[in-house]
Structure formats: structure tokens, C-alpha cells
Amino acid sequence: MSRIAIIAGQGTLAPAVAACLDDPLIFSLQGFAPDGLAATPFQLERLVPFLDDLHAQHVTKVVFAGAIRRPPLDPEAFDPRTAQLVPRILTAMHSGDDAALRTVLDIFEENDLSICSIMEIAPDLIPAEGVLSGNPSAADRKDAARAAQIMSQTGSLDLGQGTVVSQGLCLALETLPGTAAMLDFAARHTTLRPNPNGARGVLYKAPKPGQDMRIDLPTLGPDTVDQAASAGLAGIAWAAGQVILLDRHEMIRRAQDAGLFLWAAGRLD
């Protein structure tokens, strides 16, 4: 009987995905255990034996869920077969997140393990087009379109999956520190808006152009709503059908309390 394994990272995405599966095997890279979910740790330095163990447990499919940052590597911990992958792994890790993730997917697939996307396993976590809360104004929609344009142009640089735009100006761009750091920066620079009484701004999230949609989809959750409110933004928009919402009902509740809109946006021109 074939089984599916979750390669779980930090945060609450892995538990949400696990709830959609019957008796999945759950593993996590050492040091990146998920929140509230028991997971068997493995070392990147012993990746090939780990893949062998997956096969021994009749795993044929894996799904990646949760945040993993680039781990430090211990040269003395590599087994002989994984050591042969070191040049490939290190090159990918120094080439950006996209290259690193593609290399990980390639290694799993080369070892006869299929990669499932969150869309396949938990489609309800990824909302289709529509406004979930509030009502974005015409100015908000223009800011969202500007943000989508910025993301389409910067995506090839492998920087991040989000930006903050207000009154047509880019106030912040997501980089390695993540969304929370970007919103904190935006909160500390609210005076950059040309018109203090004009549009307050929009957080926009979307995958990078050409991104492999099986892994590392952008994620939004209740904490994102709180951070956007603290930054004085009017709301949050994202690419419909391409962004994960964690605890959608709580996100909507907090957005309504804070007076923010939540918008799964279709094509933005």
C-alpha cells in the first residue's frame, strides 16, 4: 500500500495539510519542526538514507508544507552517498531560494518520489477570486495593480513574494527576512505617503513568475492581518488561486474588526 509523507516546516501550514489526509507520515528537517504537530526529524546531511527510509515505509508521494530556512551544514555528518550531492546542494543554496527548491524537488523525483502540491491535497486553503472582507476602493485597486506589476518585474530576481504599495509608490518589498519584517518596515515609514489623507496602501502577495507551484506558495494568516493593520494599510490583496490562507475565518474576523479588506484578486491590469 502506497503512502504519502508530509515534509513539514515551521508554522501552522503542515497541521492544516495533515488534517486533510488519512494517516500521513510526517517528517521535518532537523531544527524546523512544525507547530503543534509531531514530526520525525531528519538531517539534510543524510538525505539519501532518509529517501531510502521513505521507500521502506512505502511512501510514493510527498508534499512540502511550512517554512524552512537554509540550514547550516555539518561536513562531518554527511554519509558517503549524500556527500556526492554536496556540490549540487551548495550551488543551489547560493543561487537563491528558487534554485534551492528546484534542486530539492529534482532530488526527490530522481529517487522515484512524486511531489504533490497543496492545491491537490488541500484546495480549500487556496481561495478563488473574490472579496472576502471589506470593499477595496478604486484607489486600492490601482495600488494592487501597481503591486502586481512590481512583483512581475522583480520576481525573476528571486527576492520575495510580497510588496506594499500606497498611492502608486512601493513602500516596501519582501526580501529574505520575510513578510513580517516588510510590514514592520512599512509601519515605520508611513510618512512616505505623498498625501496623508489619500489611499493608505495595500499588501500584495503572489508567487514569483515561473515559480514551481508545487512548493513554497505564498501564505497569509491572521497574524498578517494584524501586521497590515499596524502598518496602517487599507487591506490585503493576493493572486487568486495561488496563495494559501491559514485559518480563513479568523483572518476575516480580524480584518472586519480592523476595517481591512481581504481580496483574492484576478487579473490586474
Side-chain angles (χ1 to χ4, degrees):
M1 180 183 71
S2 64
R3 302 189 69 182
I4 187 166
I6 298 175
I7 309 300
Q10 294 175 322
T12 59
L13 176 57
V17 172
C20 299
L21 295 169
D22 294 326
D23 192 29
L25 294 170
I26 303 169
F27 303 90
S28 65
L29 187 62
Q30 196 167 55
F32 297 92
D35 297 344
L37 188 66
T40 302
F42 69 94
Q43 292 178 275
L44 185 59
E45 293 93 335
R46 296 187 57 80
L47 178 60
V48 175
F50 169 64
L51 298 176
D52 290 343
D53 185 51
L54 292 183
H55 283 296
Q57 297 186 66
H58 307 290
V59 172
T60 58
K61 298 179 179 180
V62 297
V63 57
F64 291 81
I68 298 175
R69 296 194 181 276
R70 302 176 196 187
L73 299 177
D74 180 0
E76 297 182 359
F78 281 97
D79 70 278
R81 290 187 297 160
T82 306
Q84 297 177 28
L85 298 173
V86 169
R88 185 176 175 187
I89 292 172
L90 290 180
T91 298
M93 289 178 67
H94 287 91
S95 299
D97 290 343
D98 286 353
L101 291 171
R102 279 195 296 269
T103 298
V104 169
L105 296 184
D106 288 345
I107 291 172
F108 272 74
E109 290 182 320
E110 289 163 11
N111 284 271
D112 298 320
L113 293 164
S114 299
I115 311 297
C116 297
S117 68
I118 302 295
M119 293 179 183
E120 295 176 67
I121 303 299
D124 288 346
L125 295 179
I126 304 176
E129 183 176 351
V131 176
L132 279 64
S133 174
N135 183 28
S137 67
D140 296 329
R141 291 173 183 269
K142 286 182 64 176
D143 279 343
R146 174 62 172 162
Q149 179 188 29
I150 291 169
M151 293 298 298
S152 70
Q153 296 298 314
T154 60
S156 61
L157 301 176
D158 196 10
L159 296 178
Q161 299 171 315
T163 187
V164 175
V165 170
S166 176
Q167 300 176 31
L169 300 178
C170 180
L171 298 186
L173 188 66
E174 184 177 350
T175 54
L176 193 58
T179 304
M182 173 182 64
L183 289 171
D184 178 67
F185 179 89
R188 290 184 285 109
H189 293 83
T190 56
T191 57
L192 293 177
R193 298 180 178 93
N195 180 0
N197 300 315
R200 291 181 290 151
V202 174
L203 163 64
Y204 181 78
K205 295 277 282 188
K208 301 166 191 172
Q211 177 178 323
D212 192 317
M213 301 294 283
R214 295 174 297 172
I215 189 171
D216 194 36
L217 286 184
T219 302
L220 297 167
D223 288 347
T224 317
V225 175
D226 293 342
Q227 292 154 5
S230 296
L233 302 181
I236 302 172
W238 62 89
Q242 300 181 65
V243 174
I244 296 167
L245 293 198
L246 295 172
D247 199 346
R248 183 187 310 198
H249 295 299
E250 180 64 12
M251 282 188 66
I252 292 172
R253 187 192 70 79
R254 294 191 191 185
Q256 290 173 341
D257 287 348
L260 270 65
F261 67 80
L262 299 176
W263 175 29
R267 181 172 176 175
L268 292 170
D269 295 317

